[in-house]
Amino acid sequence: MKMPEIFKDYGKYYDILYQDKNYGEECNFIEEIFKRYSQKEIKTILDAGCGTGGHAIPLARRGYKVVGFDASEVMIERAKEKARDLNNICFEIMDIRDFHINEKFDACICMFAVMNYITETKDILKALRNIRRHLKENSLFIFDFWNGLAVLRILPSVRVKIMESGGIKVIRTVEPELDAFNHINKSHYRMIVIKDGEVVDEIEETHVIRFYFPQEIKHYLEDAGFELIKICPFMDLEGKVDENVWNIMAIAKARAEEGER
């Protein structure tokens, strides 16, 4: 399934489903990484797989110039609506594997398991190399992903989430289908949308997620022109990654390429 197909229907209710996600705190965490690990002042940020702008918009409001892109047209339309009052941000519909922007950035973020949606090794390498081409030397690259060590120990489970906003209630269930040999989990989503006591929408989508192992990510980053600085639990720079930590964060910097030295 291509990304736009996955989020075409799901994306319509994305902001309702994730209204409990603390994007402000996550942006604080991103800025803490900038302060601790960047060798230069960060002014420009590339947000790869920006969704509806949950991180890009708060960062733009903090003064950064931000370019965000996503493969989902529905998500980008929503992001543009939310950022109408900002002139230091723009959003584009592009694929992480082959996007092209005529600019190099001080940092790139890729948040909320975007990398997990890239399921083929050749595609993850293509995406990482493409991101590297859009970064200046020593620019930071920050992304989170499912930790394979924890996925295989804890195992994905059936989950139910119910959220309400603006008179709309969304009931979402997800049933996992684990393919451990291929490092894949198929998340079978079903959503029921209720308004004024009536069902107004029903959605079924399957999201194919690849989980990655820390040493695997280190190898891919090095192959794509990055130096891995740190892998830590999500939102915890001092924590230790082991088989009990599901969501983890990679912090890398772009190595010098020919012509940059």
Side-chain angles (χ1 to χ4, degrees):
M1 222 180 194
K2 294 180 180 179
M3 195 77 77
E5 294 172 340
I6 292 174
F7 285 100
K8 184 176 181 181
D9 294 319
Y10 192 98
K12 291 187 292 186
Y13 305 103
Y14 188 89
D15 283 346
I16 295 176
L17 279 168
Y18 298 109
Q19 62 185 291
D20 57 342
K21 187 171 174 63
N22 196 332
Y23 287 104
E25 280 300 310
E26 292 185 16
C27 288
N28 292 343
F29 181 58
I30 290 168
E31 288 196 299
E32 178 59 30
I33 292 171
F34 289 171
K35 290 173 187 173
R36 191 175 298 197
Y37 296 107
S38 181
Q39 298 176 5
K40 58 190 172 188
E41 182 183 2
I42 292 176
K43 297 180 179 179
T44 61
I45 300 173
L46 176 65
D47 188 350
C50 64
T52 63
H55 299 96
I57 293 170
L59 288 169
R61 295 196 190 282
R62 298 181 189 195
Y64 300 96
K65 178 187 173 186
V66 184
V67 175
F69 71 87
D70 201 282
S72 169
E73 184 176 350
V74 170
M75 307 271 263
I76 289 297
E77 285 176 358
R78 178 66 183 133
K80 287 180 177 179
E81 288 173 12
K82 290 159 63 178
R84 266 185 248 173
D85 63 320
L86 295 169
N87 58 16
N88 59 332
I89 191 169
C90 69
F91 292 105
E92 302 289 345
I93 302 167
M94 293 186 289
D95 190 304
I96 195 169
R97 295 166 297 183
D98 57 15
F99 73 94
H100 177 73
I101 301 167
N102 192 28
E103 185 175 353
K104 289 200 172 189
F105 296 83
D106 298 325
C108 176
I109 62 173
C110 188
M111 304 294 290
F112 208 5
V114 168
M115 286 297 179
N116 294 113
Y117 281 85
I118 307 173
T119 57
E120 297 292 333
T121 298
K122 64 178 177 16
D123 286 335
I124 189 75
L125 288 169
K126 194 173 180 183
L128 291 173
R129 288 168 184 157
N130 201 18
I131 288 169
R132 173 62 191 91
R133 281 192 289 272
H134 286 82
L135 292 176
K136 301 170 187 175
E137 180 184 351
N138 291 323
S139 292
L140 291 182
F141 175 37
I142 302 164
F143 63 98
D144 63 300
F145 60 99
W146 285 16
N147 174 19
L149 300 171
V151 172
L152 294 184
R153 179 187 179 278
I154 301 169
L155 300 179
S157 59
V158 174
R159 289 170 288 127
V160 178
K161 187 173 189 178
I162 302 172
M163 300 297 291
E164 291 188 60
S165 178
I168 296 174
K169 177 189 278 189
V170 180
I171 303 169
R172 186 201 70 181
T173 61
V174 56
E175 294 187 10
E177 180 186 343
L178 182 64
D179 177 358
F181 183 84
N182 290 304
H183 302 178
I184 292 291
N185 181 69
K186 293 181 180 178
S187 297
H188 300 289
Y189 287 104
R190 187 175 179 211
M191 294 201 302
I192 298 173
V193 183
I194 299 170
K195 185 176 182 179
D196 298 327
E198 294 185 2
V199 174
V200 295
D201 206 355
E202 291 189 62
I203 296 166
E204 290 188 11
E205 287 188 0
T206 295
H207 294 195
V208 181
I209 302 292
R210 176 170 171 177
F211 47 90
Y212 292 94
F213 295 84
Q215 293 302 316
E216 179 185 20
I217 284 294
K218 181 176 186 288
H219 172 74
Y220 295 153
L221 283 167
E222 290 175 350
D223 192 73
F226 290 96
E227 176 188 337
L228 179 66
I229 298 172
K230 189 178 187 70
I231 289 183
C232 63
F234 186 63
M235 298 291 286
D236 182 7
L237 283 172
E238 307 304 330
K240 179 184 175 182
V241 169
D242 59 22
E243 67 278 7
N244 299 304
V245 183
W246 191 289
N247 293 310
I248 60 178
M249 194 84 154
I251 304 165
K253 70 176 181 179
R255 294 199 309 261
E257 293 182 322
E258 291 298 326
E260 289 183 328
R261 295 184 177 88

